[in-house]
Amino acid sequence: MATIKDIAAKAGVSIATVSRVLNHDETLNAQEETKKRIFEIAEELEYKVRAQKKRRKKLKIGVFYSYSPEEELEDPYYLCIRLALERKLEEEGYLRQTVKMEDTAESLSGLDGVICTGTFTGDMIAVIELWKCPVVFVDANPNPEKFDSIVADYRQAVEDIVSYLVSCGHTKIGMIGCREVNAQGVESLDTRLHCFQDALTRKGLYHPEYTKYGAYYPMYGYELLKELYQEGNLPTALFVANDSMAAGSYRAAYELGLHIPEDISIIGFNDIPAAKYMIPPLTTVRLYMEFMGEYAVKLLEERILHGREICVKVSVPTQLCIRDSVKTVSYTHLTL
């Protein structure tokens, strides 16, 4: 009895294309000539479409986390993504296996695909490419030609932050961003720093002395705000790369005798559950972390179960959550 594989071989197309044509998939972008040839070959080989059973394949999915459990506790952002991801896999009845950088294509041969979350160096990406299976990245987009990804729209988020602070009358605007160095000594800079610089430069408001870099932990928010203060470069408004660092900045402001937002306005990022309980409640950017984790599973399903061959990058919008940590200042000296 002829199979889809036989038809694909004779037609010179993929098995996925044959399956979609024979099942009259209207979303398939294929030439009419190709579709006609597939139907003719199917008839020639006396192919018979088998009745499909209402049964889903039980996938085995690998999950790779580039951060440690200790780092996850320091920054709950990835904790939220991981929990949403694992909950979705459980709801779908899929088997889950933790993947490590030491794994190879051979050790992962039983997996249908892998979901990766965190930050990644070039060397790590090179290893992941060798796994030879469908891979989806969450909050990273290392190679859009080879991997699916789901990311937040960081550029628009930063534009929203800068526009809001300027609308509140702030002209001395700073940022505590992230600059990390991996074990190989390779430095990675938060892409939002470039977006921040661009947005302020266009308004004639960029001052590098108001910008500091650290890692995504509370201690750096604490130490770097103190550095700005001691150097005499304290801005009236500060964008901090995540809510955990913002909590550190809150502590530093308290110890310096500064009041938020009267002496300094602060905006965070991520909208972790504790943000609205800080004193004052933190104005921050909400990322839809649960959605990103869940949708990563959907992207992998499209690859494995539906045969999608083209890589997809999903950009998720953010929301500025305005609370009480930013004040409106006088427009007297505002120049745009």
Side-chain angles (χ1 to χ4, degrees), residues 245-287:
M245 296 176 79
S249 295
Y250 266 50
R251 175 63 183 268
Y254 172 77
E255 292 184 3
L256 292 168
L258 300 174
H259 296 90
I260 301 170
E262 291 79 11
D263 299 316
I264 183 169
S265 294
I266 295 180
I267 288 184
F269 209 89
N270 294 352
D271 193 28
I272 62 175
K276 57 181 173 288
Y277 299 110
M278 295 168 66
I279 302 176
L282 179 66
T283 294
T284 185
V285 173
R286 176 173 299 158
L287 299 186

Side-chain angles (χ1 to χ4, degrees), residues 158-189:
V158 173
E159 291 283 348
D160 292 343
I161 289 170
V162 171
S163 295
Y164 174 63
L165 291 175
V166 171
S167 74
C168 290
H170 293 278
T171 59
K172 297 173 64 176
I173 302 172
M175 179 178 180
I176 293 179
C178 182
R179 179 170 59 188
E180 295 182 313
V181 180
N182 65 21
Q184 290 73 41
V186 178
E187 183 181 86
S188 63
L189 204 62

Side-chain angles (χ1 to χ4, degrees), residues 183-236:
Q184 290 73 41
V186 178
E187 183 181 86
S188 63
L189 204 62
D190 187 342
T191 56
R192 290 170 299 174
L193 283 163
H194 301 297
C195 301
F196 177 78
Q197 179 179 345
D198 290 345
L200 284 179
T201 299
R202 291 197 304 273
K203 298 178 182 296
L205 297 176
Y206 178 63
H207 300 283
E209 63 271 23
Y210 297 146
T211 302
K212 291 287 185 179
Y213 318 96
Y216 288 116
Y217 307 131
M219 64 175 288
Y220 289 97
Y222 173 85
E223 293 175 354
L224 295 176
L225 188 143
K226 283 198 168 184
E227 284 185 19
L228 288 169
Y229 180 83
Q230 292 160 359
E231 293 168 1
N233 291 324
L234 192 69
T236 62

